[in-house]
Amino acid sequence: MPALTTDDTTDALLVIDVQNDFCPKGALAVPKGDEVVPVVNRLIPRFAHVLLTQDWHPPGHRSFASAHAGKRPFETTELSYGTQVLWPDHCVQGTEGADFRRDLQYGKAELIIRKGFRLEIDSYSAFFENDRRTPTGLSGYLRTRGFKRLFMAGLATDFCVNYSAVDGAALGFEVVVLEDGCRAIDLVGSLAAAKDAMTKAGVTLATSGAVL
Ligand code: VGL
Ligand code: ZN
């Protein structure tokens, strides 16, 4: 018996960044990132409404270490909005690395929200870019569609899932992160910090078994 009963009118599944570059052999491979695919594929049929996010950077994006002389991936730098982790070039618009995993069964997705497309601003969250002010438009979409509770899974737990979950909760949505449907990058304790931040924000951490 699933522990949580889903509501076809007010619940949505938000699948975060299940893209080639975040999976093994990808440019910013999340360890075991591909393991989220079978979990998400089991979740999708259980939800009436499925939405996806897609990390979608222009070439030369400011979050890329290659855009900063003398910097290497996973170092940080100060951008106009604060400290930014620098990443390997990844999820460049229109490249195979930016495509969803081929085995992700996402045909029924009703919305694909792209983020990180402004050259100067990174965007971990599905709601606000990393300047913490620029909205993606997702909250308006969710509200006008009447969604109240969001189940989240995808990549990476400690970056895009975490920021999306915390922002979603702050915006007044009920947020449930299905942890076995996520994998983390885990840079110097970032997974533990992310779990702490999500818990403090009122996000429910559960496993896919809660709804399957
Ligand atoms: C992500 C780092 C850079 C993510 C995206 O999807 O978690 N992380 N861009
Ligand atoms: Zn990115």
Side-chain angles (χ1 to χ4, degrees):
M1 255 290 278
L4 293 173
T5 310
T6 53
D7 184 309
D8 286 352
T9 311
T10 54
D11 286 343
L13 175 66
L14 182 63
V15 179
I16 315 261
D17 297 0
V18 182
Q19 294 167 257
N20 291 323
D21 271 343
F22 296 125
C23 290
K25 299 197 175 124
L28 176 40
V30 177
K32 305 187 178 184
D34 55 332
E35 291 183 4
V36 306
V37 173
V39 181
V40 172
N41 282 344
R42 283 196 294 279
L43 288 167
I44 286 173
R46 303 302 300 242
F47 285 85
H49 307 288
V50 176
L51 320 171
L52 310 179
T53 68
Q54 188 172 28
D55 210 40
W56 194 250
H57 301 306
H61 191 253
R62 284 304 170 268
S63 77
F64 297 168
S66 62
H68 303 265
K71 289 285 190 183
R72 293 162 175 253
F74 309 107
E75 294 179 355
T76 59
T77 195
E78 294 306 314
L79 296 186
S80 59
Y81 51 79
T83 305
Q84 170 70 48
V85 179
L86 296 173
W87 305 106
D89 291 24
H90 65 279
C91 297
V92 174
Q93 297 171 356
T95 64
E96 197 183 329
D99 287 347
F100 295 110
R101 286 291 285 186
R102 185 191 300 276
D103 48 349
L104 184 72
Q105 288 156 14
Y106 66 96
K108 74 187 253 187
E110 296 170 356
L111 177 78
I112 296 173
I113 185 138
R114 289 172 164 169
K115 59 184 181 61
F117 49 73
R118 283 188 179 76
L119 186 64
E120 310 288 338
I121 317 180
D122 202 5
S123 189
Y124 297 147
S125 166
F127 294 97
F128 291 103
E129 302 195 10
N130 284 11
D131 62 358
R132 313 309 296 136
R133 291 167 197 281
T134 306
T136 62
L138 181 61
S139 69
Y141 175 89
L142 295 172
R143 287 215 174 93
T144 51
R145 292 216 45 204
F147 297 130
K148 296 187 166 28
R149 186 168 59 168
L150 303 172
F151 290 79
M152 297 188 187
L155 303 168
T157 323
D158 41 348
F159 287 91
C160 292
V161 176
N162 170 35
Y163 278 74
S164 299
V166 168
D167 281 354
L171 288 164
F173 298 99
E174 214 181 309
V175 179
V176 182
V177 168
L178 301 169
E179 289 187 272
D180 58 320
C182 303
R183 290 294 182 278
I185 297 175
D186 205 11
L187 290 180
V188 288
S190 57
L191 177 58
K195 284 200 191 197
D196 200 47
M198 289 191 278
T199 305
K200 286 203 174 95
V203 171
T204 302
L205 300 179
T207 61
S208 60
V211 291
L212 292 175

